[in-house]
Amino acid sequence: MTKSVLIVNGPNLNMLGKREPEIYGHTTLSDIEQKCSSHAKELGLSIEFMQSNHEGDLVNTIQDAHGKHAGIIINAAAYTHTSVALMDALKAVGLPVIEVHLSNVFAREDFRHKSYISFAATGVICGLGAKGYILALDALTEIFDQ
Ligand code: DQA
C-alpha cells in the first residue's frame, strides 16, 4: 500500500515569496507543495500538505495523522520555539518526524536556537531552503524501508 506523509506548515509560511525574501527566498509555499508532490510520486509516496496560522488547527491535524499517515514533516515556523502543545501532539501520535526550517535557525537570533519540535523529531534539516522538504521526504523513505 502507498505510504502517506503529512507535511505541516506553521504560521506565516503562507507568506513565503513575499515575506523577508532575503531570509526565506522567493519560493512560495505552493511551489514547495508542487516540488514535494512530484518528488513524493518518484518515491512512491502520497502526501497531505497543510498550512495554518492557528496552533490548535496544527495540533488537530497532527492528532488526525494517527492511523492515516506513516510519517510527518513539520516546519512549525515560530511555534517551533514556543509550542509545548505541538511537541506533545507529535509525541502522542508516535510517528517518525522530520523537522524542517528553510533558514539556518542557528545562525539567527538566540530565541530561534531552542526548538520544542526537536524533542519529538527523529531528525532536523535547516538552512537549505525548500530543498529541506525534499531531503525530509528522502529521509522518511529510508526510515520506512528500515
Ligand atoms: C522558520 C524559522 C522560524 O524561526 C521562523 O519563525 C519561521 C520560519 C524557517 O523555516 O526558517 O517562521 O521555521
Side-chain angles (χ1 to χ4, degrees):
M1 214 179 83
T2 306
K3 288 204 161 75
S4 176
V5 173
L6 174 65
I7 306 180
V8 177
N9 293 282
N12 301 306
L13 292 174
N14 55 316
M15 299 288 289
L16 286 178
K18 294 187 201 114
R19 175 191 181 201
E20 299 180 273
E22 65 290 355
I23 296 174
Y24 299 113
H26 295 280
T27 307
T28 65
L29 195 61
S30 144
D31 295 334
I32 294 175
E33 180 172 5
Q34 278 170 31
K35 284 177 206 281
C36 286
S37 276
S38 66
H39 193 62
K41 242 180 230 149
E42 286 166 16
L43 296 172
L45 300 171
S46 65
I47 60 165
E48 177 185 337
F49 195 93
M50 71 83 70
Q51 187 276 331
S52 176
N53 293 324
H54 302 278
E55 190 174 13
D57 287 347
L58 297 165
V59 169
N60 286 339
T61 303
I62 291 166
Q63 286 183 4
D64 288 347
H66 184 76
K68 195 168 155 196
H69 298 288
I72 299 176
I73 295 170
I74 181 164
N75 182 351
Y79 288 140
T80 303
H81 318 298
T82 62
S83 182
V84 176
L86 285 178
M87 173 188 75
D88 284 349
L90 290 166
K91 285 190 172 177
V93 292
L95 295 172
V97 173
I98 308 294
E99 175 181 357
V100 170
H101 300 285
L102 296 155
S103 65
N104 179 357
V105 285
F106 299 103
R108 300 180 66 191
E109 304 94 322
D110 283 357
F111 67 84
R112 294 186 205 274
H113 299 178
K114 164 106 188 163
S115 167
Y116 285 96
I117 304 302
S118 288
F119 287 105
T122 313
V124 183
I125 299 168
C126 77
L128 301 177
K131 176 86 185 178
Y133 288 76
I134 300 300
L135 294 172
L137 282 167
D138 289 340
L140 280 178
T141 303
E142 286 200 17
I143 290 166
F144 297 156
D145 290 347
Q146 271 168 15

